Amino acid sequence: MDEESIAYASHSGIKIYKDGNWLSSKYHQNDYMGFTVVEDGFYTSGHPGEQSDLPNPIGIQKGEVTQEDLASLAFEGESDFHAMGVGARNHVIYVLNQRPNSEMEQGLYKSTDDGETWEEIAADGLGEKIFQIAVHPDDESLVAVAGATGIYLSDDGGEKFEKVSDQGQGSGLYFTEDKLYYGLYTGEPSMVEYNWADQSNKELPLPDLSEDAVMYISKHGTNEEEYAIFTIKGSSYLTEDSGGSWELILDQGQTK
């Protein structure tokens, strides 16, 4: 993987968009959930594909798009984490565990050693119905959660959370070094840049999303103006000028 590629985790495996073309991963044709790209590969949970000999569920696995093998980190055959976030460079893992397993009760947990040990976090102030988790690429104490009532941010490793958005359904969490990007649906879709230094929210331009909303956001590693969004209805758009114009690259699951 490189900065010019966008990785999408689908029910039938990893799909790659690069240079205007769509590609499928040769190896990773599993139903990945909690999928997070990091600097040297990806972390994922989910279920095995039809041709896979992985146990179901797959627990937490680590791999690279261009390599066949996966490294099992934890809970293989035990748990499937739909809400999971991993820091891109620090590799700290946060998960929402919905059913008790051999090491966890229900709740939010984190691991700082690639799944060897787990610590339950208090998550005071966090809203209900968690959909997504994101971790700052370098600062493991900064973690964001998207839920049914908005976006919540913690600066102490998940012990306490504060709501940083308006009331609405949160989604699309993405950290850069100094900002958090998120989607919010309040009857109308929006995408917001949150700066925790001054606690400011700045709404960003979106394409025309008819009865749709932002589900995921991914930004280019070095070009601040280039980013992609994936929507609730399965469409994806790319901008190279901070939302001034948008290119539709996936139309409700159909490649362009």
Side-chain angles (χ1 to χ4, degrees):
M1 292 293 292
D2 54 50
E3 287 187 344
E4 306 308 317
S5 302
I6 308 171
Y8 295 76
S10 76
H11 290 299
S12 59
I14 297 176
K15 313 298 181 184
I16 306 295
Y17 182 79
K18 181 175 182 179
D19 299 330
N21 297 309
W22 284 96
L23 309 168
S24 293
S25 171
K26 178 181 178 181
Y27 305 115
H28 301 287
Q29 298 179 11
N30 302 302
D31 182 4
Y32 286 150
M33 300 175 184
F35 180 83
T36 304
V37 173
V38 297
E39 61 179 355
D40 60 350
F42 64 85
Y43 286 70
T44 192
S45 189
H47 304 276
E50 291 182 2
Q51 307 303 318
S52 174
D53 59 1
L54 287 169
N56 188 17
I58 68 172
I60 300 175
Q61 305 273 343
K62 182 180 179 182
E64 295 183 37
V65 173
T66 57
Q67 296 184 13
E68 182 176 6
D69 292 340
L70 287 168
S72 176
L73 301 183
F75 308 117
E76 192 176 69
E78 283 192 77
S79 297
D80 167 30
F81 302 104
H82 289 214
M84 179 173 78
V86 186
R89 289 183 285 272
N90 58 42
H91 292 188
V92 173
I93 308 169
Y94 285 77
V95 298
L96 171 66
N97 189 44
Q98 296 181 308
R99 296 177 182 84
N101 59 34
S102 59
E103 295 185 44
M104 299 175 176
E105 298 300 322
Q106 287 182 317
L108 275 170
Y109 287 78
K110 70 178 177 181
S111 174
T112 60
D113 54 10
D114 252 5
E116 288 288 329
T117 59
W118 294 88
E119 172 190 353
E120 187 172 12
I121 52 182
D124 289 341
L126 188 59
E128 297 179 351
K129 295 183 180 179
I130 295 170
F131 301 134
Q132 294 177 10
I133 303 172
V135 186
H136 189 275
D138 300 303
D139 186 350
E140 66 183 59
S141 64
L142 273 174
V143 56
V145 169
T149 54
I151 305 297
Y152 297 81
L153 182 67
S154 172
D155 62 4
D156 62 0
E159 293 303 306
K160 294 181 181 179
F161 282 86
E162 290 190 6
K163 192 175 182 180
V164 298
S165 73
D166 291 336
Q167 184 82 2
Q169 181 171 311
S171 61
L173 301 173
Y174 189 89
F175 273 108
T176 62
E177 289 186 8
D178 58 352
K179 295 180 178 68
L180 171 68
Y181 294 81
Y182 64 84
L184 195 69
Y185 187 76
T186 59
E188 295 291 335
S190 63
M191 186 169 96
V192 179
E193 174 189 277
Y194 176 75
N195 186 333
W196 55 83
D198 59 11
Q199 299 183 340
S200 63
N201 281 296
K202 174 185 175 183
E203 189 165 342
L204 302 174
L206 281 174
D208 182 19
L209 299 180
S210 178
E211 298 182 355
D212 204 354
V214 175
M215 187 173 184
Y216 298 109
I217 300 167
S218 181
K219 290 183 69 69
H220 191 281
T222 55
N223 182 357
E224 280 289 313
E225 295 189 342
E226 184 174 348
Y227 46 90
I229 62 170
F230 182 81
T231 74
I232 297 292
K233 288 189 173 181
S235 295
S236 190
Y237 298 81
L238 180 66
T239 181
E240 296 180 349
D241 56 6
S242 296
S245 60
W246 292 89
E247 177 188 1
L248 179 65
I249 60 175
L250 186 67
D251 186 3
Q252 295 189 30
Q254 299 300 310
T255 58
K256 304 296 287 184

